[in-house]
Amino acid sequence: MSITMYRRNLKYSRVKNLYKFASQKMNTVFTVESSLEFDTCFHLEYTSKIVQFEAQPVGYKYQFEDKTLPYTPDFKMIDVDNVETFVEVKPLCKTSDLDFKARFKQKQAAALELGTSLVLITENQIRVNPVLNNLKLLHRYSGLQEFSPLQLKLLTLVRSNGFLTVLQISEHLYLSLSELMASVIGLISHGALLTDLSKGNFGMQSRVWVGHEQ
């Protein structure tokens, strides 16, 4: 079967809320259809193994009950191994519906004919804290394009020590935590500093270190 591709255009309506996500990784603003898709963007933006992603990518047609139907994945992502994957984002409560399961199976089959895969993720993978809260914090400080003199000083300090907590950096540089926090988070959001976002809400006891490429 030949798979037909097409692109869908999202439009505002009275019954549907649209959300905007500004991606520094992709240098664009994506429009998504739900708060769950919006939260997914934070994971795609800051997962280092994902090098590219796109919301509402070019869709394709699939066969279901003797009909040819259109389908647009919620996302397309490409990882560091150049493997392309389509992503469907769905609330967990809707994934047990028999009609959804039957349709999704056919959508996956059509994706395979295109040489890619289609995966399903729910809020169980997306709305995991403290990770999601920390990713949103990083995004809040991701706008700066150039490092400040303080941030360059921070990088040198952390590089020479290996691992430091935010509190230890504050003590080394004689800065208050309020003065320091924005600079540290900005460096993390750009990948210049690394931290474990799953350990707890980011704060003064969070450890940071410099990535190998820095």
Side-chain angles (χ1 to χ4, degrees):
M1 179 183 67
S2 176
I3 304 295
T4 303
M5 308 293 289
Y6 79 104
R7 183 173 291 279
R8 176 187 177 211
N9 292 317
L10 292 183
K11 296 181 180 179
Y12 286 93
S13 72
R14 294 180 179 179
V15 297
K16 182 176 293 186
N17 292 321
L18 298 181
Y19 298 78
K20 298 284 189 178
F21 181 86
S23 170
Q24 187 175 69
K25 178 184 279 188
M26 301 309 303
N27 194 31
T28 191
V29 176
F30 291 118
T31 301
V32 296
E33 294 185 280
S34 70
S35 62
L36 191 58
E37 290 177 31
F38 180 72
D39 286 348
T40 304
C41 290
F42 293 97
H43 292 274
L44 298 173
E45 180 79 1
Y46 293 108
T47 298
S48 59
K49 291 182 179 180
I50 298 173
V51 295
Q52 293 182 43
F53 72 98
E54 179 184 0
Q56 297 292 312
V58 173
Y60 56 88
K61 302 291 182 68
Y62 70 102
Q63 298 295 313
F64 183 71
E65 294 183 345
D66 298 322
K67 296 179 181 178
T68 301
L69 303 172
Y71 171 64
T72 299
D74 294 316
F75 297 97
K76 179 178 75 174
M77 60 185 186
I78 300 175
D79 67 17
V80 292
D81 297 316
N82 203 35
V83 175
E84 179 182 290
T85 305
F86 288 131
V87 179
E88 169 79 4
V89 177
K90 209 76 172 175
L92 182 63
C93 62
K94 295 185 178 181
T95 61
S96 58
D97 179 78
L98 294 179
D99 182 72
F100 169 80
K101 288 182 176 181
R103 290 174 182 268
F104 189 73
K105 184 177 180 180
Q106 294 304 111
K107 293 171 184 176
Q108 285 183 308
L112 286 175
E113 290 197 40
L114 292 171
T116 188
S117 60
L118 170 65
V119 298
L120 173 67
I121 60 174
T122 72
E123 65 270 25
N124 284 1
Q125 291 82 45
I126 299 164
R127 289 177 173 161
V128 178
N129 281 313
V131 174
L132 180 59
N133 285 338
N134 285 331
L135 294 178
K136 289 184 175 183
L137 182 65
L138 295 186
H139 196 255
R140 206 174 303 154
Y141 290 91
S142 65
L144 296 177
Q145 299 300 314
E146 295 184 0
F147 295 156
S148 68
L150 173 57
Q151 288 176 315
L152 294 174
K153 191 174 182 180
L154 280 170
L155 282 173
T156 300
L157 175 65
V158 177
R159 185 183 292 109
S160 64
N161 284 271
F163 294 87
L164 287 175
T165 65
V166 177
L167 179 59
Q168 288 171 328
I169 295 172
S170 174
E171 292 170 344
H172 272 86
L173 299 180
Y174 303 101
L175 293 172
S176 69
L177 290 173
S178 59
E179 291 177 289
L180 185 63
M181 194 63 76
S183 293
V184 173
I185 295 171
L187 288 169
I188 296 170
S189 72
H190 285 82
L193 284 180
L194 303 178
T195 190
D196 187 345
L197 298 176
S198 67
K199 290 294 186 182
N201 290 330
F202 189 81
M204 64 180 183
Q205 295 301 332
S206 299
R207 289 206 313 168
V208 298
W209 60 93
V210 177
H212 294 302
E213 70 280 5
Q214 297 298 324

